[in-house]
Amino acid sequence: MEILKPDDASLMRAGALIASGGLVALPTETVYGLGADAFNTLAVARVFEAKARPSFDPLIVHISALSDIDRVVRKPSPLARALMEALWPGPLTLVLPKRDEMPDLVTSGLPTVAVRLPAHAVARAIIAWSGTAVAAPSANPFGYISPTTAEHVARMLGDRVDLIVDGGPCRVGVESTVLDMTVEPPCLLRPGGMDLGMIEAIIGPVSRKAPGPMREGEQPAGPGQLDSHYAPRTPLRLMARGDLAQARKPSARIGALLFEGLSLGASGGPSGFAATRVLSPSGDMVEAAASLFAMMHELDGLGLDEIWAERVPETGLGAAINDRLFKASRK
Ligand code: TXA
Ligand code: MG
Protein backbone atom coordinates (compact mmCIF):
# COMPACT_ATOMS: atom_id res chain seq x y z
CA MET A 1 0.00 0.00 0.00
CA GLU A 2 1.23 3.43 -0.95
CA ILE A 3 0.22 6.89 0.32
CA LEU A 4 0.55 9.71 -2.20
CA LYS A 5 -0.03 13.46 -2.06
CA PRO A 6 -2.51 14.64 -4.68
CA ASP A 7 -0.46 15.98 -7.59
CA ASP A 8 -1.30 15.58 -11.29
CA ALA A 9 0.64 12.35 -11.64
CA SER A 10 -0.86 10.66 -8.58
CA LEU A 11 -4.43 11.70 -9.48
CA MET A 12 -4.00 10.17 -12.95
CA ARG A 13 -2.49 7.06 -11.43
CA ALA A 14 -5.33 6.72 -8.94
CA GLY A 15 -7.87 7.04 -11.75
CA ALA A 16 -6.05 4.48 -13.88
CA LEU A 17 -5.85 2.09 -10.92
CA ILE A 18 -9.62 2.28 -10.45
CA ALA A 19 -10.19 1.79 -14.19
CA SER A 20 -8.11 -1.40 -14.06
CA GLY A 21 -9.99 -2.88 -11.10
CA GLY A 22 -7.91 -1.55 -8.21
CA LEU A 23 -9.02 -0.15 -4.84
CA VAL A 24 -8.13 3.47 -4.09
CA ALA A 25 -8.81 5.28 -0.82
CA LEU A 26 -9.69 8.86 -1.69
CA PRO A 27 -10.52 11.99 0.29
CA THR A 28 -13.99 13.52 0.02
CA GLU A 29 -15.31 16.53 1.93
CA THR A 30 -17.20 14.19 4.29
CA VAL A 31 -14.96 11.19 5.05
CA TYR A 32 -12.40 9.10 3.13
CA GLY A 33 -13.96 6.66 0.69
CA LEU A 34 -12.74 3.28 -0.54
CA GLY A 35 -13.25 3.59 -4.29
CA ALA A 36 -13.66 1.00 -7.03
CA ASP A 37 -15.12 0.96 -10.55
CA ALA A 38 -18.87 0.65 -9.92
CA PHE A 39 -19.33 -1.40 -13.11
CA ASN A 40 -16.59 -3.92 -12.26
CA THR A 41 -18.19 -6.51 -9.97
CA LEU A 42 -14.86 -8.11 -9.11
CA ALA A 43 -13.48 -4.77 -7.90
CA VAL A 44 -16.69 -4.07 -5.96
CA ALA A 45 -16.47 -7.50 -4.36
CA ARG A 46 -12.95 -6.60 -3.16
CA VAL A 47 -14.41 -3.50 -1.48
CA PHE A 48 -16.83 -5.65 0.53
CA GLU A 49 -13.98 -7.99 1.39
CA ALA A 50 -11.65 -5.19 2.46
CA LYS A 51 -14.32 -3.73 4.75
CA ALA A 52 -15.63 -7.10 5.94
CA ARG A 53 -18.99 -5.56 5.09
CA PRO A 54 -22.19 -7.60 4.94
CA SER A 55 -23.16 -7.61 1.30
CA PHE A 56 -26.75 -6.61 2.06
CA ASP A 57 -25.52 -3.10 2.61
CA PRO A 58 -25.52 -1.13 -0.66
CA LEU A 59 -22.77 1.30 -1.72
CA ILE A 60 -22.85 4.95 -2.81
CA VAL A 61 -21.84 5.59 -6.43
CA HIS A 62 -19.81 8.77 -7.00
CA ILE A 63 -19.66 10.81 -10.19
CA SER A 64 -17.45 13.76 -11.09
CA ALA A 65 -19.90 15.83 -13.15
CA LEU A 66 -23.66 16.29 -13.23
CA SER A 67 -23.66 15.23 -16.90
CA ASP A 68 -22.60 11.71 -15.80
CA ILE A 69 -25.80 11.11 -13.84
CA ASP A 70 -27.46 9.26 -16.73
CA ARG A 71 -24.74 6.60 -16.65
CA VAL A 72 -25.93 5.59 -13.20
CA VAL A 73 -29.64 6.32 -12.77
CA ARG A 74 -32.77 6.13 -14.86
CA LYS A 75 -34.46 9.47 -15.48
CA PRO A 76 -34.22 11.43 -12.23
CA SER A 77 -37.49 13.13 -11.25
CA PRO A 78 -37.77 16.93 -11.52
CA LEU A 79 -37.47 17.17 -7.71
CA ALA A 80 -34.25 15.15 -7.76
CA ARG A 81 -32.93 17.30 -10.60
CA ALA A 82 -33.69 20.43 -8.63
CA LEU A 83 -31.67 19.12 -5.66
CA MET A 84 -28.73 18.13 -7.85
CA GLU A 85 -28.64 21.51 -9.51
CA ALA A 86 -28.90 23.43 -6.24
CA LEU A 87 -26.84 21.35 -3.80
CA TRP A 88 -24.28 19.37 -5.82
CA PRO A 89 -21.37 19.12 -5.55
CA GLY A 90 -21.82 18.51 -1.84
CA PRO A 91 -22.52 16.09 1.03
CA LEU A 92 -25.89 14.93 -0.29
CA THR A 93 -26.63 11.40 -1.57
CA LEU A 94 -29.80 10.73 -3.56
CA VAL A 95 -31.43 7.31 -3.87
CA LEU A 96 -32.91 6.98 -7.37
CA PRO A 97 -34.05 4.24 -9.77
CA LYS A 98 -30.93 2.50 -11.07
CA ARG A 99 -29.93 1.79 -14.64
CA ASP A 100 -29.98 -1.90 -15.59
CA GLU A 101 -26.21 -1.78 -16.16
CA MET A 102 -25.57 -0.98 -12.48
CA PRO A 103 -24.49 -4.30 -10.88
CA ASP A 104 -26.72 -5.84 -8.22
CA LEU A 105 -23.66 -6.16 -6.00
CA VAL A 106 -23.46 -2.35 -5.72
CA THR A 107 -27.14 -1.94 -4.86
CA SER A 108 -27.60 -5.19 -2.90
CA GLY A 109 -30.18 -6.23 -5.42
CA LEU A 110 -32.30 -3.12 -4.84
CA PRO A 111 -33.89 -1.49 -7.90
CA THR A 112 -32.43 1.81 -6.70
CA VAL A 113 -28.92 3.26 -6.50
CA ALA A 114 -27.47 5.88 -4.15
CA VAL A 115 -25.51 8.53 -6.04
CA ARG A 116 -23.52 11.58 -5.10
CA LEU A 117 -21.30 14.25 -6.66
CA PRO A 118 -18.66 15.06 -4.01
CA ALA A 119 -17.37 18.59 -3.46
CA HIS A 120 -13.73 17.58 -2.88
CA ALA A 121 -11.58 18.49 -5.90
CA VAL A 122 -9.27 15.50 -5.34
CA ALA A 123 -12.16 13.04 -5.35
CA ARG A 124 -13.61 14.58 -8.48
CA ALA A 125 -10.27 14.54 -10.31
CA ILE A 126 -9.70 10.87 -9.51
CA ILE A 127 -13.21 9.91 -10.60
CA ALA A 128 -12.80 11.91 -13.82
CA TRP A 129 -9.46 10.23 -14.59
CA SER A 130 -11.00 6.81 -13.95
CA GLY A 131 -13.49 7.43 -16.76
CA THR A 132 -16.17 5.54 -14.82
CA ALA A 133 -18.49 5.96 -11.84
CA VAL A 134 -16.87 5.07 -8.52
CA ALA A 135 -18.56 2.97 -5.84
CA ALA A 136 -17.12 4.11 -2.53
CA PRO A 137 -18.22 3.32 1.01
CA SER A 138 -16.39 4.98 3.87
CA ALA A 139 -12.85 3.55 4.06
CA ASN A 140 -13.17 1.80 7.43
CA PRO A 141 -13.86 -1.77 8.55
CA PHE A 142 -17.64 -2.29 8.69
CA GLY A 143 -19.24 -0.86 11.82
CA TYR A 144 -16.07 0.93 12.98
CA ILE A 145 -15.35 4.68 13.26
CA SER A 146 -15.22 6.42 9.86
CA PRO A 147 -11.88 7.81 8.60
CA THR A 148 -11.32 11.55 8.28
CA THR A 149 -7.57 11.41 7.58
CA ALA A 150 -5.30 9.30 5.36
CA GLU A 151 -3.61 7.94 8.52
CA HIS A 152 -6.96 6.60 9.77
CA VAL A 153 -7.32 4.67 6.51
CA ALA A 154 -3.76 3.38 6.60
CA ARG A 155 -4.17 2.20 10.18
CA MET A 156 -7.54 0.51 9.64
CA LEU A 157 -7.27 -0.94 6.13
CA GLY A 158 -3.51 -0.90 5.48
CA ASP A 159 -2.58 -3.45 2.85
CA ARG A 160 -6.16 -4.10 1.84
CA VAL A 161 -6.09 -1.03 -0.45
CA ASP A 162 -3.81 -0.49 -3.46
CA LEU A 163 -3.33 3.23 -2.97
CA ILE A 164 -4.29 5.97 -0.50
CA VAL A 165 -4.43 9.53 -1.79
CA ASP A 166 -3.79 11.94 1.10
CA GLY A 167 -5.93 15.06 0.71
CA GLY A 168 -5.56 16.15 4.34
CA PRO A 169 -8.32 16.09 6.99
CA CYS A 170 -11.92 16.06 5.72
CA ARG A 171 -13.64 19.43 5.96
CA VAL A 172 -17.14 18.25 6.90
CA GLY A 173 -16.23 15.17 8.95
CA VAL A 174 -19.55 13.30 8.94
CA GLU A 175 -20.94 11.31 6.03
CA SER A 176 -23.34 12.66 3.45
CA THR A 177 -27.04 13.07 4.09
CA VAL A 178 -28.88 10.17 2.38
CA LEU A 179 -32.28 10.96 0.90
CA ASP A 180 -34.61 8.42 -0.75
CA MET A 181 -36.12 10.19 -3.77
CA THR A 182 -38.15 7.18 -4.93
CA VAL A 183 -40.88 7.68 -2.33
CA GLU A 184 -43.48 10.40 -1.81
CA PRO A 185 -42.61 12.51 0.11
CA PRO A 186 -38.82 11.95 -0.11
CA CYS A 187 -37.46 10.20 2.99
CA LEU A 188 -34.37 10.97 5.06
CA LEU A 189 -32.45 7.68 5.47
CA ARG A 190 -29.36 9.13 7.18
CA PRO A 191 -28.80 12.61 8.64
CA GLY A 192 -25.45 13.95 7.48
CA GLY A 193 -23.34 16.79 6.20
CA MET A 194 -26.08 18.50 4.18
CA ASP A 195 -28.48 20.43 6.35
CA LEU A 196 -32.06 19.16 6.09
CA GLY A 197 -33.34 22.76 6.07
CA MET A 198 -31.43 23.45 2.84
CA ILE A 199 -33.06 20.41 1.26
CA GLU A 200 -36.58 21.23 2.44
CA ALA A 201 -36.20 24.80 1.21
CA ILE A 202 -35.93 23.36 -2.30
CA ILE A 203 -38.29 20.35 -2.36
CA GLY A 204 -40.59 20.89 0.62
CA PRO A 205 -41.09 18.62 3.64
CA VAL A 206 -39.14 15.38 3.86
CA SER A 207 -40.24 12.39 5.94
CA ARG A 208 -37.97 10.70 8.44
CA LYS A 209 -37.52 6.97 8.66
CA ALA A 210 -38.95 5.97 12.04
CA PRO A 211 -36.08 4.91 14.29
CA GLY A 212 -36.20 1.64 16.17
CA PRO A 213 -34.79 -1.85 16.13
CA MET A 214 -34.97 -3.79 12.88
CA ARG A 215 -37.06 -6.89 12.62
CA GLU A 216 -35.28 -10.10 11.72
CA GLY A 217 -34.97 -10.65 7.96
CA GLU A 218 -35.74 -7.01 7.25
CA GLN A 219 -33.40 -5.31 4.77
CA PRO A 220 -31.79 -2.21 6.19
CA ALA A 221 -32.38 0.76 3.90
CA GLY A 222 -29.09 2.12 5.26
CA PRO A 223 -26.68 1.59 8.16
CA GLY A 224 -28.83 4.33 9.60
CA GLN A 225 -31.13 1.40 10.32
CA LEU A 226 -28.44 -0.82 11.77
CA ASP A 227 -28.33 -0.62 15.53
CA SER A 228 -24.57 -0.47 16.04
CA HIS A 229 -22.32 1.52 13.73
CA TYR A 230 -19.47 4.03 13.69
CA ALA A 231 -18.34 2.35 16.89
CA PRO A 232 -14.99 2.46 18.68
CA ARG A 233 -13.65 -0.79 20.14
CA THR A 234 -13.81 0.85 23.56
CA PRO A 235 -17.39 0.80 24.92
CA LEU A 236 -18.96 4.23 24.50
CA ARG A 237 -21.62 5.54 26.88
CA LEU A 238 -23.83 8.39 25.67
CA MET A 239 -25.14 10.97 28.15
CA ALA A 240 -27.38 14.01 28.10
CA ARG A 241 -25.59 17.28 27.59
CA GLY A 242 -24.23 18.61 30.86
CA ASP A 243 -24.55 15.27 32.69
CA LEU A 244 -21.00 14.32 31.89
CA ALA A 245 -19.39 17.20 33.76
CA GLN A 246 -21.58 16.35 36.76
CA ALA A 247 -21.10 12.61 36.56
CA ARG A 248 -19.75 10.83 39.63
CA LYS A 249 -16.05 10.52 39.14
CA PRO A 250 -15.19 7.12 37.81
CA SER A 251 -12.67 4.78 39.35
CA ALA A 252 -12.01 3.05 36.04
CA ARG A 253 -9.99 4.66 33.23
CA ILE A 254 -12.61 6.69 31.39
CA GLY A 255 -12.22 9.12 28.52
CA ALA A 256 -14.60 12.09 28.20
CA LEU A 257 -15.85 13.44 24.86
CA LEU A 258 -17.42 16.86 25.41
CA PHE A 259 -19.21 19.17 23.02
CA GLU A 260 -17.84 22.61 23.91
CA GLY A 261 -15.69 24.62 26.27
CA LEU A 262 -18.72 25.46 28.45
CA SER A 263 -19.15 21.75 29.15
CA LEU A 264 -15.87 21.92 31.03
CA GLY A 265 -17.61 23.98 33.74
CA ALA A 266 -16.14 26.60 36.04
CA SER A 267 -13.48 24.24 37.38
CA GLY A 268 -11.95 24.03 33.91
CA GLY A 269 -13.14 20.52 33.28
CA PRO A 270 -14.46 17.37 34.84
CA SER A 271 -11.66 15.82 36.84
CA GLY A 272 -10.93 12.17 37.29
CA PHE A 273 -11.06 11.33 33.62
CA ALA A 274 -8.05 9.63 32.08
CA ALA A 275 -8.43 11.79 28.96
CA THR A 276 -10.70 14.61 27.83
CA ARG A 277 -11.49 15.78 24.29
CA VAL A 278 -13.62 18.81 23.35
CA LEU A 279 -15.28 18.72 19.92
CA SER A 280 -15.34 22.50 19.63
CA PRO A 281 -14.08 24.81 22.39
CA SER A 282 -16.27 27.64 21.01
CA GLY A 283 -19.35 25.43 20.54
CA ASP A 284 -19.24 25.64 16.75
CA MET A 285 -21.21 22.75 15.22
CA VAL A 286 -19.23 22.71 11.98
CA GLU A 287 -15.95 22.40 13.87
CA ALA A 288 -17.51 19.75 16.14
CA ALA A 289 -18.52 17.59 13.14
CA ALA A 290 -15.08 17.92 11.59
CA SER A 291 -13.43 16.80 14.88
CA LEU A 292 -15.84 13.99 15.79
CA PHE A 293 -14.32 10.88 14.19
CA ALA A 294 -10.70 11.97 14.73
CA MET A 295 -11.33 12.42 18.47
CA MET A 296 -13.14 9.08 18.66
CA HIS A 297 -10.13 7.47 16.97
CA GLU A 298 -7.77 9.19 19.44
CA LEU A 299 -9.73 8.13 22.52
CA ASP A 300 -10.11 4.61 21.14
CA GLY A 301 -6.33 4.38 20.81
CA LEU A 302 -5.65 5.08 24.50
CA GLY A 303 -6.65 1.67 25.83
CA LEU A 304 -9.39 3.12 28.07
CA ASP A 305 -12.06 1.07 29.83
CA GLU A 306 -14.88 3.26 28.56
CA ILE A 307 -15.56 6.47 26.66
CA TRP A 308 -18.28 8.76 28.02
CA ALA A 309 -19.70 11.17 25.45
CA GLU A 310 -22.34 13.87 25.75
CA ARG A 311 -25.06 14.64 23.21
CA VAL A 312 -24.71 17.90 21.29
CA PRO A 313 -27.55 20.35 20.51
CA GLU A 314 -29.74 19.07 17.61
CA THR A 315 -29.21 22.19 15.49
CA GLY A 316 -27.61 21.98 12.02
CA LEU A 317 -25.00 19.21 11.86
CA GLY A 318 -25.87 18.36 15.47
CA ALA A 319 -28.49 15.83 14.32
CA ALA A 320 -25.85 13.96 12.30
CA ILE A 321 -23.36 14.07 15.20
CA ASN A 322 -25.94 12.73 17.70
CA ASP A 323 -26.90 9.99 15.23
CA ARG A 324 -23.25 8.85 14.99
CA LEU A 325 -22.74 9.04 18.78
CA PHE A 326 -25.94 7.07 19.40
CA LYS A 327 -24.94 4.31 16.97
CA ALA A 328 -21.41 4.25 18.41
CA SER A 329 -22.93 3.64 21.86
CA ARG A 330 -24.88 0.55 20.75
CA LYS A 331 -23.09 -2.76 21.00
O1 TXA B 1 -20.19 10.81 2.79
C1 TXA B 1 -20.42 9.70 2.35
O2 TXA B 1 -21.57 9.35 1.98
C2 TXA B 1 -19.25 8.71 2.26
C3 TXA B 1 -18.25 9.24 1.24
C4 TXA B 1 -17.14 8.27 0.98
O3 TXA B 1 -18.93 9.58 0.06
N1 TXA B 1 -19.71 7.40 1.93
C5 TXA B 1 -20.42 6.64 2.79
O4 TXA B 1 -20.72 5.39 2.29
O5 TXA B 1 -20.75 7.00 3.88
P1 TXA B 1 -21.28 4.21 3.20
O6 TXA B 1 -21.21 3.01 2.32
O7 TXA B 1 -20.49 4.13 4.46
O8 TXA B 1 -22.78 4.57 3.43
C6 TXA B 1 -23.70 4.44 2.35
C7 TXA B 1 -25.10 4.72 2.82
C8 TXA B 1 -25.58 3.61 3.68
O9 TXA B 1 -26.41 4.16 4.67
C9 TXA B 1 -26.35 2.74 2.68
O10 TXA B 1 -27.22 1.84 3.27
C10 TXA B 1 -27.03 3.83 1.89
O11 TXA B 1 -26.02 4.80 1.72
N2 TXA B 1 -27.46 3.35 0.58
C11 TXA B 1 -26.69 3.01 -0.46
N3 TXA B 1 -27.45 2.60 -1.50
C12 TXA B 1 -28.72 2.67 -1.11
C13 TXA B 1 -29.98 2.39 -1.73
N4 TXA B 1 -30.06 1.93 -2.98
N5 TXA B 1 -31.10 2.59 -1.01
C14 TXA B 1 -31.03 3.06 0.26
N6 TXA B 1 -29.87 3.36 0.91
C15 TXA B 1 -28.74 3.16 0.24
MG1 MG C 1 -19.85 3.95 6.42
Side-chain angles (χ1 to χ4, degrees):
M1 177 264 309
E2 240 183 310
I3 304 184
L4 294 179
K5 294 286 179 201
D7 56 28
D8 286 348
S10 61
L11 295 178
M12 267 177 75
R13 220 177 103 224
L17 251 172
I18 289 175
S20 62
L23 300 195
V24 174
L26 69 170
T28 82
E29 74 278 25
T30 56
V31 300
Y32 275 70
L34 180 59
D37 178 356
F39 296 97
N40 180 335
T41 46
L42 211 59
V44 173
R46 285 188 61 210
V47 170
F48 285 111
E49 187 189 52
K51 279 185 66 91
R53 178 173 193 157
S55 54
F56 56 69
D57 204 22
L59 306 180
I60 295 175
V61 175
H62 299 68
I63 55 176
S64 63
L66 194 47
S67 53
D68 286 337
I69 187 72
D70 297 322
R71 299 166 74 171
V72 177
V73 310
R74 241 180 328 114
K75 246 180 126 29
S77 65
L79 276 192
R81 277 253 167 228
L83 282 178
M84 291 173 197
E85 271 155 27
L87 301 179
W88 278 0
L92 172 65
T93 295
L94 301 177
V95 173
L96 293 163
K98 82 176 187 84
R99 276 186 72 112
D100 291 344
E101 293 81 0
M102 187 51 64
D104 280 336
L105 193 56
V106 172
T107 67
S108 305
L110 295 170
T112 56
V113 62
V115 59
R116 123 172 160 88
L117 175 55
H120 203 298
V122 171
R124 284 220 305 282
I126 294 172
I127 299 164
W129 280 116
S130 78
T132 182
V134 173
S138 48
N140 53 315
F142 182 75
Y144 192 59
I145 312 168
S146 297
T148 53
T149 65
E151 297 78 65
H152 293 158
V153 181
R155 218 178 322 124
M156 292 191 290
L157 294 180
D159 287 336
R160 279 178 277 177
V161 303
D162 298 312
L163 173 66
I164 300 175
V165 179
D166 183 357
C170 300
R171 176 171 59 78
V172 176
V174 291
E175 294 85 346
S176 60
T177 300
V178 181
L179 198 61
D180 185 354
M181 294 302 293
T182 67
V183 293
E184 238 326 295
C187 178
L188 177 71
L189 297 179
R190 177 176 75 182
M194 180 64 71
D195 194 83
L196 197 56
M198 307 253 297
I199 295 167
E200 292 188 316
I202 295 162
I203 60 166
V206 159
S207 73
R208 272 142 247 239
K209 181 103 189 164
M214 295 202 13
R215 282 181 296 275
E216 202 164 337
E218 196 180 1
Q219 257 237 349
Q225 270 64 49
L226 285 173
D227 247 15
S228 169
H229 215 72
Y230 314 105
R233 313 233 184 269
T234 316
L236 184 142
R237 190 192 295 187
L238 185 57
M239 304 185 170
R241 193 156 157 244
D243 281 7
L244 218 171
Q246 256 97 67
R248 211 156 48 82
K249 297 308 168 251
S251 51
R253 291 191 72 236
I254 310 284
L257 185 59
L258 301 164
F259 168 51
E260 59 178 344
L262 280 177
S263 314
L264 293 169
S267 61
S271 55
F273 287 98
T276 300
R277 292 289 184 283
V278 180
L279 290 175
S280 168
S282 64
D284 175 53
M285 205 56 85
V286 173
E287 183 184 32
S291 314
L292 176 68
F293 289 134
M295 289 184 175
M296 282 168 66
H297 277 288
E298 276 172 33
L299 289 172
D300 201 24
L302 298 179
L304 301 164
D305 296 318
E306 280 180 30
I307 299 167
W308 292 2
E310 68 175 351
R311 291 178 158 279
V312 307
E314 278 282 317
T315 51
L317 288 172
I321 296 174
N322 283 333
D323 172 76
R324 305 305 186 269
L325 286 173
F326 175 72
K327 302 234 168 64
S329 73
R330 311 282 289 183
K331 275 282 173 191

